[in-house]
Amino acid sequence: GARSWRRWTGLAYCLTGDLRTCSRERSNSYLHTAVNDNVKKLSSLMATLFTLLLFAPSASAQLQIEIIDGNPSALPIAVVPFQWMEAGDPPVNRVDEIISGDLYRSGLFDPMAVEDMADRPVDEEAIRFGTWRLLQVDYIVIGKVRTPMDGMGHELIYQLFDVHTQERILSRITTVGPGDLRFGAHRVADAIYEALTGVPGAFSTRIAYVTATGTNNEIRYELVVADADGFGPQSVVGSPEPLLSPAWSPDGKHLAYVSFEEGNSAIYMQNVATGARELISSGKGINGAPSFSPDGTKMALTLSRTGNPEIYVRDMATGRTQQITQHWSIDTEPVWSPDGRSIYFTSDRGGRPQIYKVPPSGGTPARVTLEGDYNARASVSPDGRRIAVAQGRGNEYRIAVWDIETERFNILTPGTLDESPSFAPNGSMILYATREGSRGVLSAVSADGSVRQRLILSEGDVREPAWSPVIR
């Protein structure tokens, strides 16, 4: 959004030595610290910037999701408490609660409260469809949780019925390992969502975001990963210097990000599970905005090794990089098309930031967004037909979706400082960062703008969201 673009703009001039322009750009981008002629002070400068944007809690704080605008035509559904057939007591968060919560947060379903259920069947023969019709329920889910034959993990046995036709729509068993019961519940919700909408669910995915704790000179930045419902946040990496631009690998096992821990910007790739990481780029100047290709064999990134920011493509196997743009303007924020044939990026080569595209092998970039004075930070839908951007109009920055075929924008959000859009892997929702008063929050909006959610950390702010791919 505005701040993302402005901070990279100012950063470009600072790193290339044009300090007078650096000073001007910083004064135009929410920075109010005096200019220091020593470029080595950049990390301190970026910390000051992040202090203005981020006052977040530790990674142990959980995101709370609240529906702001719901769907009046949401489908009534009942997820009956699953029968617990294992030794010991069921977990505090029951499987049915997790499934109901997922469906509710999608905005497309209106799950019935358990206390309003006339009965709680666990087998098809016990379902009194007439009673559920009287309760105005369209669909009912029943199930059980048991230990599999090998004695390890859990089996979630579930069925989905159409109450009006009494048709069994789904009858499945989902098996998960020890400690993965919550993930299994998300998988069940994914299957129900797909069966009733025709679109794969994304409840079993994860989100990444950046937080910062403290103020002034004692700030700790953390890259955090949590379930898509905000549960179980875990710190992937922490640093006393800023962290930026998290990007998921296609298999969901790695995160690339920008760190200033060595004083200059550097791109790292880190294994989310093990913590092992690899330095990708740390050359002089800007090393920023990493983006994996759909097959994971390449990475697009922004480097300023030739004097100003350009788009490069790195071969992940050999480490070789190829410059694919060459212009006096600022080219940054590259993202791949789902088919891997194009790279979309932000450039001010036309005078104001707009989205352009170029083949990964290089060539003449073509402008994509044709409306509006300011369009930046592209996120491409999984089907490749839409591009979410932060669109600026005057002093307001909102999330908008550009339809590539019709060449028209649809503005989705009502905020004034919305930025960093990230499409869900099924294309149904867009995660983004915004501010409410003096506080930064994450929000999500459906791709048609009809449903909005707010994701709040109980103690502070959060920025730089990135939605993971589907994890199988």
Side-chain angles (χ1 to χ4, degrees), residues 15 27 75 81 134 147 175 254 258 313 328 336 357 379 414 433 454:
L15 286 174
S27 68
L75 296 174
L134 289 174
T147 303
T175 303
H254 294 85
V258 178
V313 171
W328 54 263
W336 296 76
K357 72 174 181 177
S379 177
R454 180 191 294 114

Side-chain angles (χ1 to χ4, degrees), residues 314-325:
R314 182 185 195 270
D315 186 286
M316 298 303 289
T318 66
R320 295 175 182 173
T321 59
Q322 176 187 357
Q323 183 177 343
I324 63 169
T325 66

Side-chain angles (χ1 to χ4, degrees), residues 294-411:
D295 62 4
T297 63
K298 295 179 173 60
M299 178 186 288
L301 58 161
T302 300
L303 305 175
S304 63
R305 58 176 60 170
T306 60
N308 63 291
E310 303 285 1
I311 306 301
Y312 288 73
V313 171
R314 182 185 195 270
D315 186 286
M316 298 303 289
T318 66
R320 295 175 182 173
T321 59
Q322 176 187 357
Q323 183 177 343
I324 63 169
T325 66
Q326 187 170 359
H327 199 272
W328 54 263
S329 65
I330 294 174
D331 297 338
T332 187
E333 300 174 342
V335 292
W336 296 76
S337 63
D339 60 10
R341 296 179 180 178
S342 298
I343 293 176
Y344 295 92
F345 64 98
T346 306
S347 177
D348 65 348
R349 61 184 58 211
R352 298 295 300 274
Q354 295 291 343
I355 305 302
Y356 292 76
K357 72 174 181 177
V358 66
S361 58
T364 302
R367 181 170 166 176
V368 176
T369 50
L370 304 176
E371 294 180 8
D373 295 332
Y374 180 107
N375 296 293
R377 194 68 177 266
S379 177
V380 186
S381 65
D383 60 11
R385 297 178 180 177
R386 297 162 293 167
I387 302 174
V389 301
Q391 183 178 85
R393 295 186 179 185
N395 292 323
E396 295 184 345
Y397 296 87
R398 299 177 177 176
I399 304 304
V401 169
W402 176 257
D403 188 297
I404 295 176
E405 182 177 348
T406 65
E407 297 185 342
R408 291 289 184 271
F409 267 119
N410 181 22
I411 299 175

Side-chain angles (χ1 to χ4, degrees), residues 48-268:
T48 303
L49 170 62
F50 255 60
T51 301
L52 295 175
L53 296 181
L54 288 163
F55 297 99
S58 66
S60 61
Q62 188 168 312
L63 288 169
Q64 301 296 322
I65 301 179
E66 172 189 358
I67 299 293
I68 302 172
D69 292 326
N71 186 347
S73 59
L75 296 174
I77 189 169
V79 183
V80 178
F82 279 36
Q83 183 181 25
W84 185 256
M85 302 176 67
E86 299 192 352
D89 296 328
V92 174
N93 296 114
R94 301 191 316 264
V95 167
D96 58 284
E97 290 180 334
I98 298 169
I99 297 170
S100 292
D102 285 344
L103 297 175
Y104 172 69
R105 282 186 295 272
S106 75
L108 300 182
F109 297 91
D110 182 18
M112 172 179 277
V114 172
E115 55 267 26
D116 293 335
M117 297 180 182
D119 50 26
R120 303 178 187 182
V122 294
D123 296 300
E124 179 178 359
E125 296 76 14
I127 300 175
R128 296 184 295 174
F129 287 101
T131 300
W132 292 101
R133 283 195 295 270
L134 289 174
L135 293 173
Q136 298 183 330
V137 171
D138 289 347
Y139 301 95
I140 183 172
V141 180
I142 61 173
K144 305 174 183 179
V145 180
R146 72 182 183 193
T147 303
M149 294 295 292
D150 61 9
M152 300 294 291
H154 311 276
E155 283 184 344
L156 286 74
I157 308 160
Y158 65 98
Q159 299 179 83
L160 167 68
F161 295 90
D162 184 315
V163 170
H164 300 284
T165 65
Q166 301 185 28
E167 174 191 3
R168 184 193 300 112
I169 301 172
L170 284 178
S171 181
R172 294 183 181 176
I173 299 176
T174 294
T175 303
V176 294
D180 287 338
L181 186 59
R182 172 174 281 273
F183 177 70
H186 291 317
R187 292 285 299 274
V188 173
D190 284 342
I192 295 170
Y193 184 94
E194 182 171 9
L196 297 180
T197 68
V199 177
F203 306 117
S204 58
T205 58
R206 293 181 289 179
I207 58 175
Y209 51 89
V210 175
T211 67
T213 305
T215 58
N216 300 325
N217 295 323
E218 297 183 359
I219 303 174
R220 181 165 181 80
Y221 304 88
E222 298 206 25
L223 175 57
V224 181
V225 170
D227 291 353
D229 62 356
F231 186 86
Q234 295 181 336
S235 177
V236 175
V237 63
S239 172
E241 303 297 338
L243 301 169
L244 292 168
S245 305
W248 289 92
S249 62
D251 60 7
K253 295 181 179 180
H254 294 85
L255 274 170
Y257 58 90
V258 178
S259 173
F260 284 81
E261 62 197 72
E262 298 299 329
N264 186 53
S265 60
I267 298 173
Y268 291 90

